[in-house]
Amino acid sequence: MRCRVLVLCAFICLFVLLVEGRQRKVSRSGARSVAVQNRQRNHRRTNNNNSNARRGNRLSARSNNQKRRRLNAAKRNKRRSSLAKKSERKSTSSASSGSSYATIPLDFKQNFVRTTDNLRADKVFVAHRYGGSFAKTNGSARLTNTGNMEYTCKMTLGTPKQSFTVLPDTGSSNVWVPGLYCTSKACRTHNRYRPRKSSTFIKVGKKFAIEYGSGAVQGVLAKDKLGIAGLSIANQTFAITTNEPGSAFVDALFDGILGLGYESISVDKVKTPVQNMCSQGVISTCKFAICMRGGGSSSRGGVIIFGSTDTSAYTGTNSYTYTPVTKKGYWQFALEAFYVGSTKVSGTSQAIVDSGTSLIAAPCAIYHKINKIIGCTETSSGECWMKCSKAVKAFTFVVNGQKLVIPGDKMKMRVRTNKGNIVCISVVTCMNTNFWILGDPFMRNYCTVFDMANNKIGFASST
Ligand SMILES: *[C@@H]1O[C@H](CO)[C@@H](O)[C@H](O)[C@H]1NC(C)=O
Ligand SMILES: *[C@@H]1O[C@H](CO)[C@@H](O)[C@H](O)[C@H]1NC(C)=O
Ligand SMILES: *[C@@H]1O[C@H](CO)[C@@H](O)[C@H](O)[C@H]1NC(C)=O
């Protein structure tokens, strides 16, 4: 009797050993990716002192993992996955007992080439998942200032990169560059985009036309990679001009325009570069800042920063005054009051910040009042002339309860007349609008943050 029980026991033991051995073999090959994934998850939960380097590793591991999972989903059969689950449980416990992070095998996907696009997509994915953002990306481009009249920066299109000088314009929302087949003089005197030379060019073909205060252009829409400030936007829709009539852009110091306004004023409802930067995770915080410098030399042009509002090189410790955007088209806000010296010239009115305008344009009634106080002489062409020795009182713009003050000598501009004389003109001109257009003379004194995430505008005095 005892003997028979012993033999039975021996058989059972042998059977159990055999089955276990087989399971181990199968799970070692089939459940690897799941195990890795699980270990990562476990690690995240238990380890509170992740370094950035570890984080980086985790991102790439996850990226590989996702791809692999997708590829293998069809192949995997039921038994394998159930075995995988078992081994998953096993590896969880081994991970929590302190196995080193560095042992996670990353070699199982040999053909996968990690690109910056993979990594960025992955960062966006992870950032969304945790409602946070360690996908911190930002970039800045130098502005070139020509005679305090035009501020331009570099931009590239295509692969390989074709370079353009563009006007960063917060008063419009489209991107365009001269086209190779545009025969207008303005096109011939500027860099032209060559679609056939770019491997990332995508034809859209839709016709495009836009009018600015200063001129108009016509063209066709296309998509390509857009590079600016060291950042790269995939599939940016822009216009290749076919016609730039008249003289408006012939002598322009820029090839094209980089629109930085809201989508609602974008012709053909084209998604703006800033929108694409945000949706593609090129920048992690949906804001940009512009600081313009005076002096009119290229080395003192200023900066445009995407994805960051760190303007301390220009604003020092001066803090930003924020005000909500009142209408999402231009960067529009409520100007609560305006003073010249101690004289209140206007109460509440609307204003836009426009980096593409070289002057300040006030509603005409206000313009005339300002000129009376300054004591300058209005001309028929909408300028107000004075001797350069004339003292001008400070201008005060009241924004969200804060006084933004600009010294009077910054509110006049030296110009050469046709007769060769030097006179000074007020930087304020007259426009047939019911809102102010605060162009470069304003922006030269206040760095401006354009916060698309929170729809607000910030001003900080530049030093
Ligand atoms: C951080 O990790 C190290 C080893 O990787 C460990 O010795 C240390 O106790 C950990 N610190 C915390 C706060 O978890
Ligand atoms: C850009 O367009 C190409 C072709 O349509 C597409 O394969 C790619 O995924 C797009 N990239 C992004 C980031 O939208
Ligand atoms: C901007 O990028 C730098 C590194 O390129 C980083 O150190 C910094 O934190 C970033 N700033 C923001 C606001 O994302």
Side-chain angles (χ1 to χ4, degrees):
M1 185 67 182
R2 206 181 291 157
C3 188
R4 237 185 272 162
V5 170
L6 275 174
V7 169
L8 195 64
C9 272
F11 264 117
I12 291 171
C13 285
L14 199 66
F15 182 73
V16 166
L17 280 173
L18 276 172
V19 167
E20 264 202 350
R22 199 158 156 260
Q23 278 190 359
R24 227 174 266 146
K25 212 187 214 165
V26 173
S27 66
R28 213 177 298 145
S29 60
R32 207 134 151 219
S33 71
V34 186
V36 168
Q37 183 197 0
N38 199 277
R39 208 183 294 183
Q40 285 174 260
R41 200 185 301 143
N42 196 279
H43 213 85
R44 195 176 300 129
R45 207 166 40 223
T46 54
N47 195 341
N48 292 324
N49 68 352
N50 280 340
S51 71
N52 280 335
R54 277 181 177 174
R55 231 171 239 161
N57 266 342
R58 193 163 70 213
L59 286 176
S60 55
R62 174 193 285 278
S63 174
N64 284 338
N65 218 0
Q66 282 175 330
K67 270 257 163 86
R68 189 192 140 92
R69 248 180 355 233
R70 236 174 284 132
L71 286 172
N72 281 357
K75 288 188 210 154
R76 223 179 285 138
N77 65 35
K78 240 184 184 171
R79 195 171 61 130
R80 267 187 158 194
S81 78
S82 83
L83 288 173
K85 260 180 214 147
K86 266 183 215 162
S87 103
E88 191 183 332
R89 251 174 260 136
K90 231 179 242 170
S91 68
T92 301
S93 61
S94 81
S96 59
S97 70
S99 73
S100 163
Y101 189 80
T103 63
I104 292 171
L106 295 172
D107 56 348
F108 55 81
K109 186 74 176 69
Q110 275 146 8
N111 295 329
F112 182 72
V113 178
R114 193 191 325 146
T115 66
T116 50
D117 283 352
N118 296 139
L119 207 61
R120 285 203 187 121
D122 208 67
K123 277 156 106 185
V124 171
F125 171 80
V126 178
H128 277 198
R129 190 173 161 141
Y130 296 101
S133 56
F134 51 80
K136 284 214 184 301
T137 318
N138 59 77
S140 62
R142 230 179 60 186
L143 296 178
T144 297
N145 172 4
T146 307
N148 278 358
M149 290 299 284
E150 274 172 355
Y151 289 81
T152 57
C153 67
K154 292 287 176 201
M155 179 186 95
T156 64
L157 284 169
T159 314
K161 291 171 177 172
Q162 299 178 33
S163 284
F164 299 92
T165 300
V166 290
L167 179 81
D169 182 17
T170 60
S172 68
S173 299
N174 291 85
V175 181
W176 61 260
V177 289
L180 188 58
Y181 305 109
C182 169
T183 53
S184 311
K185 191 171 181 207
C187 292
R188 283 184 280 121
T189 53
H190 289 99
N191 289 324
R192 289 187 275 185
Y193 172 74
R194 293 169 157 75
R196 292 218 181 116
K197 292 262 169 79
S198 171
S199 63
T200 41
F201 161 76
I202 298 171
K203 187 176 171 174
V204 176
K206 190 169 191 229
K207 287 216 166 90
F208 168 89
I210 193 165
E211 242 175 82
Y212 301 94
S214 48
V217 302
Q218 287 106 44
V220 290
L221 294 182
K223 288 185 192 182
D224 208 334
K225 188 181 274 191
L226 187 156
I228 187 161
L231 307 169
S232 173
I233 307 168
N235 302 333
Q236 174 64 48
T237 304
F238 64 100
I240 308 170
T241 66
T242 49
N243 188 21
E244 297 181 21
S247 59
F249 298 114
V250 172
D251 295 322
L253 294 157
F254 50 85
D255 303 311
I257 287 181
L258 175 78
L260 297 168
Y262 278 92
E263 187 192 346
S264 66
I265 58 163
S266 158
V267 172
D268 295 332
K269 293 280 162 281
V270 170
K271 291 259 182 284
T272 69
V274 175
Q275 276 182 306
N276 285 334
M277 277 187 197
C278 302
S279 67
Q280 292 177 16
V282 172
I283 54 178
S284 55
T285 157
C286 202
K287 303 167 186 180
F288 64 97
I290 298 179
C291 291
M292 290 178 175
R293 278 207 157 128
S297 75
S298 56
S299 60
R300 281 183 55 83
V303 72
I304 179 164
I305 305 173
F306 295 96
S308 164
T309 57
D310 182 2
T311 58
S312 54
Y314 293 80
T315 49
T317 54
N318 299 337
S319 60
Y320 273 92
T321 295
Y322 281 96
T323 187
V325 170
T326 49
K327 192 176 175 190
K328 292 178 227 162
Y330 302 116
W331 287 94
Q332 186 170 334
F333 66 99
L335 180 59
E336 286 164 2
F338 171 72
Y339 296 80
V340 175
S342 56
T343 312
K344 185 170 182 176
V345 180
S346 91
T348 302
S349 50
Q350 292 288 304
I352 67 167
V353 192
D354 184 358
S355 61
T357 294
S358 52
L359 296 169
I360 290 175
C364 286
I366 297 174
Y367 166 76
H368 296 306
K369 281 193 199 171
I370 294 171
N371 294 343
K372 271 216 183 85
I373 299 168
I374 295 177
C376 53
T377 309
E378 287 182 17
T379 67
S380 55
S381 47
E383 292 142 18
C384 201
W385 291 28
M386 68 192 102
K387 281 188 175 159
C388 288
S389 55
K390 190 167 192 63
V392 177
K393 290 189 173 128
F395 283 23
T396 302
F397 299 86
V398 182
V399 176
N400 210 355
Q402 300 287 311
K403 287 180 176 168
L404 310 184
V405 183
I406 303 181
D409 63 329
K410 300 274 180 66
M411 297 286 94
K412 62 186 182 189
M413 207 176 217
R414 287 167 74 90
V415 292
R416 189 188 299 271
T417 65
N418 288 338
K419 288 179 189 154
N421 302 322
I422 300 291
V423 299
C424 274
I425 61 168
S426 164
V427 297
V428 181
T429 184
C430 174
M431 282 279 271
N432 213 358
T433 53
N434 57 5
F435 54 86
W436 289 72
I437 300 167
L438 302 179
D440 303 346
F442 179 87
M443 295 183 75
R444 265 197 288 279
N445 294 281
Y446 282 89
C447 283
T448 308
V449 164
F450 302 86
D451 183 340
M452 216 165 233
N454 304 298
N455 297 309
K456 59 184 189 177
I457 308 172
F459 303 105
S461 179
S462 36
T463 52

